[in-house]
Amino acid sequence: MRLAALMSLILVAGLALTPAPLARGQEKADATLGAAAICDRLLSSDVSQRERGALELNLITAKRAEELGREILRREPLEAREILEAIGEATGNFALVGAIVALESEHAEVRNVAFEALLAAPLDSLRKSGDDYLKNKRRTNLKEMLSSPATLKVLCEGIPEPKDVPKAPIEPSLHLAILADRYFGSEGFVLLMRTLGKMMAGDDSDNEKEEAGDSRDEKEARNRRADRERLRRQAAALFEAIWISPPGAQFNYVANAPIEERRKSIGRMEARLEEIAAREIEVKGKKVRGGRLGDYLIGLFSSDVSETVAAAYLRMQWWKGDSLALEGEGYSEAVEHFNTLGRRERMALRNEIKTWWESFRAETDPR
């Protein structure tokens, strides 16, 4: 009897376990949802459905992400926005391809959110995505956005102003510069910085606007002038966050100086950018034309200003994937640790960074 009871127990347990392999097989098959299904899940009011959609984005292949991008183009702008925001938060290597495809949307709102998704993406994903997909209209639109004062104005206006002095956060600012550098090389990096320079100089019609201001409403005219000056300060803050050296110290730039003086300062900046664009650089034994963001930062390793040297090293380490602070809590400790490195340790770090950068540049130079 005991043996019969034991056999019955084993049989019941076996039957109970039989569906498990089927469930796992079903889950595996369900792990490759179509583009429309992923979009529907990301838009669902059910939290678990949205989480499943987000998981799909983290596992998605480049080809399926392209299909996802085409599905986004078929959706209404409000739906496209939600889906693209989820892409910006995804950690998968290829979800970004969906945002790249969405750059060809006829709706400016959708293109802007796709741009934001690219800015928010993990740097490693940015490195691995896009070469086969950023073409034609998509490439043209992205380049125009990176060189558009209207696009950059939105980013500048979001810069916090503690004590009325704009201070651009370092990581988002570097994300912008890395995005331009990643997809357009030296041309993209220089183009971005030139656009910020134009914004720092101010519009050619500034004086005309001031002279044409309604004398009956001097307060409104003052507000217009203050808004334009604030934007110049914000553009200068974003430039400095990328460039490290303050434009005031390096180019004698003052945001509230007369427009003629501002233009002279930006002229000096332009000359520096032209030199970077024309520079000849050796990458893995081959000579290439045009300095990129990484070349610029590595060039600062020999700066006479110790704070600049430390900032350049830490930014390159962060870019290649090291976990460290670029500002705020933990930054002073990171700088202090860097400053304690001996000559041999610093040289080893320099070689490590240069090796990484040469590989990154060789892999991502525009073809």
Side-chain angles (χ1 to χ4, degrees):
M1 291 293 294
R2 289 181 180 177
L3 181 59
L6 181 60
M7 292 298 292
S8 297
L9 182 60
I10 292 173
L11 179 60
V12 170
L15 291 172
L17 291 173
T18 298
L22 295 177
R24 284 194 294 270
Q26 183 179 359
E27 182 178 330
K28 184 176 181 181
D30 198 32
T32 53
L33 294 176
I38 293 175
C39 290
D40 290 340
R41 294 203 179 208
L42 291 172
L43 295 168
S44 173
S45 59
D46 186 314
V47 175
S48 64
Q49 293 291 311
R50 293 200 304 274
E51 288 177 348
R52 176 58 192 280
L55 177 62
E56 287 285 335
L57 290 180
N58 294 336
L59 301 173
I60 202 167
T61 63
K63 183 176 180 181
R64 198 150 56 94
E66 182 183 24
E67 295 169 0
L68 178 66
R70 296 190 185 283
E71 178 65 25
I72 291 171
L73 293 174
R74 288 191 284 268
R75 300 281 174 143
E76 293 297 320
L78 285 177
E79 291 188 346
R81 166 180 282 277
E82 286 190 50
I83 299 164
L84 286 165
E85 286 173 351
I87 287 176
E89 297 172 358
T91 58
N93 286 331
F94 301 109
L96 276 188
V97 171
I100 289 172
V101 174
L103 287 170
E104 68 181 59
S105 172
E106 62 182 19
H107 299 286
E109 177 187 358
V110 175
R111 296 195 301 272
N112 289 336
V113 183
F115 182 73
E116 292 170 8
L118 290 170
L119 284 178
L123 296 182
D124 195 44
S125 299
L126 201 64
R127 178 178 184 176
K128 295 176 180 178
S129 292
D131 292 305
D132 296 329
Y133 300 94
L134 188 66
K135 296 178 179 178
N136 304 323
K137 189 176 180 179
R138 303 167 193 171
R139 187 174 186 83
T140 299
N141 286 347
L142 179 57
K143 190 174 182 179
E144 286 179 354
M145 296 177 86
L146 287 167
S147 62
S148 166
T151 301
L152 298 184
K153 180 183 178 184
V154 176
L155 300 179
C156 288
E157 289 176 338
I159 293 174
E161 299 181 80
K163 299 181 180 178
D164 296 325
V165 178
K167 182 171 176 55
I170 303 299
E171 287 192 16
S173 302
L174 282 179
H175 266 273
L176 174 64
I178 290 169
L179 176 64
D181 176 277
R182 160 65 180 91
Y183 289 122
F184 300 100
S186 176
E187 182 188 9
F189 169 53
V190 171
L191 184 64
L192 171 67
M193 304 311 282
R194 278 180 172 154
T195 305
L196 289 173
K198 290 176 183 176
M199 296 174 68
M200 291 161 63
D203 193 283
D204 290 345
S205 59
D206 273 1
N207 287 342
E208 296 174 13
K209 289 178 182 178
E210 290 170 8
E211 291 169 4
D214 190 344
S215 59
R216 294 170 298 179
D217 195 347
E218 181 58 29
K219 182 178 180 181
E220 182 180 340
R222 287 198 304 270
N223 288 340
R224 288 197 303 269
R225 290 194 292 270
D227 289 342
R228 294 198 296 272
E229 181 180 326
R230 182 181 301 110
L231 180 59
R232 294 196 298 269
R233 293 183 189 280
Q234 291 167 325
L238 181 51
F239 184 99
E240 181 177 343
I242 298 167
W243 195 256
I244 300 180
S245 300
Q250 192 161 14
F251 306 113
N252 198 30
Y253 173 79
V254 180
N256 61 357
I259 191 168
E260 293 79 8
E261 294 301 317
R262 298 199 305 269
R263 286 173 177 165
K264 289 179 183 178
S265 300
I266 301 309
R268 289 186 280 270
M269 180 190 300
E270 281 277 357
R272 179 77 174 92
L273 291 171
E274 286 175 12
E275 183 274 322
I276 290 175
R279 187 183 302 169
E280 196 172 67
I281 301 202
E282 187 170 311
V283 179
K284 293 192 171 184
K286 292 177 59 178
K287 289 187 176 180
V288 293
R289 189 178 183 83
R292 291 178 52 174
L293 174 62
D295 301 306
Y296 169 74
L297 291 174
I298 289 173
L300 296 180
F301 289 178
S302 56
S303 171
D304 294 331
V305 183
S306 60
E307 292 87 351
T308 298
V309 174
Y313 267 96
L314 293 175
R315 289 171 195 220
M316 287 300 292
Q317 287 180 267
W318 170 82
W319 188 356
K320 77 180 184 65
D322 293 353
S323 179
L324 42 77
L326 297 183
E327 61 186 331
E329 185 178 356
Y331 181 65
S332 58
E333 290 83 355
V335 172
E336 184 178 351
H337 172 74
F338 172 78
N339 289 334
T340 62
L341 296 178
R343 184 175 179 277
R344 182 177 297 178
E345 292 173 305
R346 188 172 295 193
M347 184 59 68
L349 178 58
R350 180 190 181 99
N351 290 337
E352 177 187 329
I353 289 172
K354 289 188 72 174
T355 298
W356 175 84
W357 169 246
E358 284 198 356
S359 175
F360 181 95
R361 170 152 191 170
E363 177 186 324
T364 60
D365 259 338
R367 295 172 178 82

